[in-house]
Amino acid sequence: MDFGIVLFTSDRGISPADAAVAAEKNGFRTFYVPEHSHIPTKREVAHPVTGDASLPDDRYMRTLDPWVSLATACAVTTEIRLSTAVCLPVAHDCITLAKSIASLDHLSGGRVEVCAGFGWNLDELADHNVPAGSRRNMLREYIEAMRELWIKEEASYSGEFVNYGPSWAWPKTVQEHVPVLIGATGNEKNFKWIAKHADGWMSTPKDADVQRSVNSLYAEWDSAGRTGRPRVVVLDMQKPEPSRLSLLADLGVSEVVYGIPDRPTEEAQAHLARLADKVDTFGRIAAGAAAQ
């Protein structure tokens, strides 16, 4: 089981590049950043954590662009994987986004993973002309259409939301298959969608019973006729604790992700180092148990 770091980027505090360097130095496997293009000041949709129109904090309105952030991280790292938690593909032009992701995968040597969301903030998506009732179908088309551009010498796609004729587009992704995960509440509807159209799932802070959720995802995965196991990433809001981490490992969780604050560089680096020490302690305990 791997461990990752998510930085809720903002226009203050540690930069994505510095955070990614520190994460890589401390042995973390993946570096994640979020996405919000903007936050409408008047919203009808409740935030999934607060339950109303209020936001947990002001970082939602200060978020850096994820692909620019990851590009800066790419330039100063060599091994850590670069991902999103989560991005909003349907808020972009599909062809342009495919180019950005392929370019990042090319320049990073094949280190990109895409963790996308359906988008809880319907008011934000409305400004991007995304029909609220069609965002799932739109995301499915985006994933399919981008994969065509990533791997085929002559790509084309015809759908309700994405249409382009035979086209050339380079660079191609270094990875033959760029992993696409979905960050969404762990329920049957979402797991059915993931089992049909994605490579795995990232949990949310609302997913208290991860064991139930993971087992439900596995059941949907098998029902859809998928082979192997989906990639499962747990966004953990708790401190690293050996018994909990052992449970997640036994469930087949691929990676556990912890957040670091958008604080001044030295403060954020110290926070990350403390996390690394706790994760390392779990690793030594697990290794000792396996040797017995």
Side-chain angles (χ1 to χ4, degrees):
M1 185 170 71
D2 294 325
F3 294 91
I5 288 296
V6 58
L7 171 66
F8 200 141
T9 57
S10 75
D11 57 350
R12 64 191 174 204
I14 191 169
S15 71
D18 286 342
V21 167
E24 183 173 78
K25 180 180 178 180
N26 282 280
F28 290 95
R29 174 63 175 148
T30 313
F31 177 65
Y32 296 84
V33 296
E35 176 172 30
H36 281 289
S37 60
H38 68 300
I39 300 294
T41 57
K42 293 184 179 180
R43 299 183 315 284
E44 296 181 2
V45 178
H47 186 279
V49 173
T50 65
D52 55 34
S54 65
L55 298 171
D57 59 67
D58 69 345
R59 290 176 297 179
Y60 285 84
M61 61 194 73
R62 309 180 77 96
T63 311
L64 304 184
D65 178 272
W67 307 110
V68 174
S69 296
L70 292 178
T72 66
C74 164
V76 293
T77 58
T78 59
E79 296 181 358
I80 197 165
R81 290 186 63 79
L82 307 169
S83 190
T84 47
V86 296
C87 66
L88 300 169
V90 299
H92 297 262
D93 172 82
C94 181
I95 298 172
T96 303
L97 179 60
K99 172 73 77 173
S100 296
I101 295 172
S103 297
L104 182 62
D105 199 61
H106 169 74
L107 294 171
S108 68
R111 293 189 278 141
V112 173
E113 177 182 88
V114 178
C115 186
F118 298 120
W120 65 267
N121 193 340
L122 301 184
D123 303 279
E124 176 184 2
L125 295 183
D127 288 345
H128 292 288
N129 300 311
V130 178
S134 302
R135 56 199 169 119
R136 291 168 180 266
N137 287 335
M138 194 171 180
L139 179 58
R140 173 185 56 78
E141 288 193 8
Y142 267 54
I143 294 171
E144 294 171 350
M146 289 194 296
R147 287 206 186 281
E148 292 287 305
L149 291 164
W150 291 341
I151 63 175
K152 290 190 176 179
E153 183 169 339
E154 188 174 287
S156 63
Y157 190 85
S158 178
E160 180 181 357
F161 301 101
V162 182
N163 285 278
Y164 59 84
S167 303
W168 295 316
W170 273 268
K172 301 303 179 187
T173 57
V174 173
Q175 300 175 87
E176 183 176 350
H177 184 87
V178 174
V180 176
L181 281 63
I182 299 298
T185 302
N187 58 39
E188 181 180 0
K189 181 179 181 180
N190 289 337
F191 288 156
K192 284 183 180 295
W193 197 99
I194 290 168
K196 290 181 179 179
H197 308 298
D199 300 302
W201 172 61
M202 172 181 272
S203 70
T204 73
K206 291 183 66 177
D207 294 297
D209 191 347
V210 175
Q211 183 173 7
R212 180 200 62 78
S213 295
V214 170
N215 287 329
S216 296
L217 173 60
Y218 288 164
E220 295 296 344
W221 194 262
D222 292 339
S223 296
R226 301 287 295 269
T227 58
R229 278 287 175 251
R231 177 165 165 78
V232 176
V233 176
V234 172
L235 185 60
D236 202 348
M237 306 305 292
Q238 304 178 35
K239 295 181 179 180
E241 197 277 320
S243 62
R244 174 175 167 77
L245 293 178
S246 294
L247 171 62
L248 296 178
D250 290 342
L251 283 171
V253 168
S254 310
E255 187 171 64
V256 179
V257 177
Y258 296 102
I260 59 172
D262 59 329
R263 300 284 178 83
T265 301
E266 291 186 1
E267 185 177 340
Q269 288 172 334
H271 180 92
L272 197 151
R274 290 192 295 271
L275 278 174
D277 285 342
K278 293 176 181 178
V279 166
D280 186 55
T281 299
F282 164 72
R284 290 197 300 271
I285 292 172
Q292 293 178 356

